[in-house]
Structures are given as C-alpha cells and as structure tokens.
Amino acid sequence: MNPPQRIYKYEALNARSLRNIKSPVLFFGSPLNFNDPYDCALTPNILPPKDDEVERLRAAYIRRNGLNERQKHEFEAFSTEELRAMFLRSAHSAIKELIDTFLATRGVTCFSERNDDLLMWSHYGGRYRGVCLEFNTAIDPFGRVRQVRYVPSLPQLDVASILARNEFDPVQELYCTKADSWRYECEWRAFHEVAGTQYTYPPEALTGVYFGPDIDDESLEIVCLILAGQNEGVRYYKGSRSSTEFRVLFTEFTYTSYLQAKKMGLR
C-alpha cells in the first residue's frame, strides 16, 4: 500500500531531538529498545507442511541442490514424516537466524498517519510538551515507509515460504506486524541496514511542525528559530485541547523572530 501524502513523527524536546531537527536527520534506532516486547521480535507459528507440500519441497530440494544419483536416492528414501520433521527443523532454524540478525543489526524509525492522537502525544510527544513533525512522502526516504499490520494473534508462516525465500521474503512481514493493542498508532515505519544510523534528509521534506498544547514559549521559539534558518516552507501549528471532544486541535500561526518584529515596529 502506498503511504499517505503526509506522515508524522512525535518527538519529546531534548538535546538530541533538537540536534536532529537542526541537522536535519532521522535516527534509526535498534528495535531492541522498543517498548513493545513483541515489536520486530515476533516468533511466528510455523505450520507443519501437508503431505503434498512435503513432496513439492522434496522435489524442489533435489532440483535446487543438484544431488548426485546416490544422494538423490537417499533423499527419496526418506518417508514423508521424516521429511516433514526435517523441513520443520530447518524452518525454525532459518527464522531464528533471520530474527536474531535483524535485531542485532537493523535500524528502525517510526511514523504515524495522525498528528492529533491523545495517546501518541502522551507516550511519544513529551506529554503534550513536545512536537509532531510532518513529512512529505513524495520525497525520499519517506516514500519508502511500510505500513504496520495489527493482528489479534501471532502470525503463521508456512515452511515452503520460509525455506524458498527467493524473490519474496515473508519474514519481512514480521517486522511490520504488531498486536491489535497498538492499532491507535496508525504506524508506518522505515528500515535501515545499520542500527544507530543518522540519515540526513532534504530540509524541504519537513513540511509542518505541530506544537503540543503544553509546550513552553521558549521551547517553541527555539524550534522556530532553528527552522527559520534552513526551511522557509515549513508551516507551524499550535495545539490546544478541545472543549467538546477528546482531541488536540491545531491553529496555524506565522513565526516572527524578535529582530524581525523589532524591524517591523511590532516591538
């Protein structure tokens, strides 16, 4: 599925997030630091292959590995039950290796389709005192994000798809699968080959900054001052609590620095 035109990243304001805004960079962190113990570390249920699937795997194995006549005869002599157990062991071993390698090496950064979710502001937006950054998915790397699936139970994989892994790697789906409990996040995520990478993106990819309802004036001005010197097209929105709904509402404003205001006779 193609991503929406805009995706959002909630940030608490601290020294690192301010440096990232200034640089401007995305940080691809290790999934080992995620707060969901299942996130990017799912152990799927591997379905035992049926008899006809075992036979297809047998034929594919013989064809792919170019066995000589003696080896071919020995492999053909295995019973269906023996091969079923063998293929299951191989699939479990392959899945474990792939997951362990991913967790040890890959970096992940996360986005949302929404900028006004109360839980997201509370969990990731500095308890309403941070910011939510808006990115244009027409600009790389934001167009290469993948949508997270939310499911009620651990996913199931079949042995054939795990052992084949030619053009399509079903294990990649595990990295974008989360429990239904996290559905409110409406998450999209991007991956990097190396965890801990700071990826520099084009400044114009950042199209908007949404400030939390409880952000202090000094922090708001620091962010605006940083962006004023590197991104003329970014738009600013100040958040407030709705008086009729459980929502955060945003009003666009124009930032004018102290020196600009003084020159214009406004101060």
Side-chain angles (χ1 to χ4, degrees):
M1 177 181 291
N2 293 326
Q5 291 183 339
R6 298 290 186 270
I7 54 175
Y8 303 92
K9 191 168 190 62
Y10 293 80
E11 295 275 11
L13 285 184
N14 50 46
R16 189 178 79 172
S17 62
L18 288 172
R19 284 197 302 269
N20 288 352
I21 292 172
K22 171 61 180 171
S23 295
V25 299
L26 290 174
F27 180 74
F28 286 81
S30 169
L32 291 172
N33 298 323
F34 286 178
N35 56 0
D36 177 3
Y38 286 102
D39 202 350
C40 290
L42 294 178
T43 301
N45 294 313
I46 300 177
L47 301 175
K50 298 176 182 178
D51 289 357
D52 60 331
E53 293 172 322
V54 170
E55 294 309 318
R56 284 199 298 270
L57 285 168
R58 186 201 302 265
Y61 182 88
I62 293 173
R63 183 173 60 252
R64 184 172 64 243
N65 291 280
L67 304 183
N68 60 41
E69 285 303 315
R70 182 181 61 81
Q71 293 169 326
K72 180 179 177 182
H73 178 74
E74 290 176 351
F75 200 77
E76 287 176 338
F78 284 121
S79 70
T80 301
E81 282 303 317
E82 288 174 323
L83 278 182
R84 193 189 335 270
M86 186 185 303
F87 287 139
L88 267 175
R89 287 196 300 272
S90 296
H92 278 287
S93 177
I95 283 287
K96 184 180 186 306
E97 181 180 352
L98 286 167
I99 292 175
D100 289 348
T101 299
F102 174 84
L103 291 174
T105 60
R106 299 289 291 276
V108 183
T109 191
C110 306
F111 305 90
S112 175
E113 292 182 14
R114 298 184 57 183
N115 60 17
D116 60 354
D117 186 83
L118 300 183
L119 288 176
M120 295 292 281
W121 273 106
S122 179
H123 294 166
Y124 307 111
R127 295 184 179 180
Y128 299 87
R129 294 189 290 270
V131 296
C132 183
L133 306 178
E134 177 187 83
F135 294 101
N136 182 358
T137 58
I139 300 175
D140 278 341
F142 304 97
R144 288 183 271 136
V145 292
R146 296 186 59 180
Q147 189 175 30
V148 169
R149 296 185 309 127
Y150 301 97
V151 295
S153 57
L154 290 174
Q156 295 181 330
L157 293 178
D158 62 86
V159 169
S161 64
I162 297 170
L163 297 181
R165 292 195 299 111
N166 293 326
E167 296 180 3
F168 173 67
D169 185 355
V171 181
Q172 292 241 347
E173 297 301 317
L174 297 178
Y175 306 156
C176 286
T177 301
K178 297 177 72 170
D180 258 336
S181 303
W182 301 93
R183 187 177 293 273
Y184 70 90
E185 292 183 340
C186 299
E187 186 178 346
W188 292 73
R189 53 180 42 173
F191 299 97
H192 195 281
E193 293 295 329
V194 182
T197 296
Q198 292 187 342
Y199 181 91
T200 302
Y201 60 85
E204 63 271 18
L206 179 64
T207 54
V209 179
Y210 294 77
F211 294 94
D214 296 341
I215 193 170
D216 59 87
D217 293 339
E218 291 79 9
S219 296
L220 183 149
E221 181 145 6
I222 288 171
V223 174
C224 291
L225 281 170
I226 290 173
L227 292 172
Q230 64 191 46
N231 190 341
E232 294 180 342
V234 69
R235 299 168 74 170
Y236 304 105
Y237 305 85
K238 181 66 173 68
S240 62
R241 289 178 175 80
S242 170
S243 60
T244 58
E245 302 176 85
F246 292 114
R247 288 186 59 198
V248 177
L249 304 177
F250 293 99
T251 303
E252 186 173 4
F253 69 91
T254 301
Y255 172 69
T256 305
S257 70
Y258 176 83
L259 289 178
Q260 288 176 313
K262 190 172 181 180
K263 289 178 182 178
M264 296 167 62
L266 302 176
R267 297 208 180 193

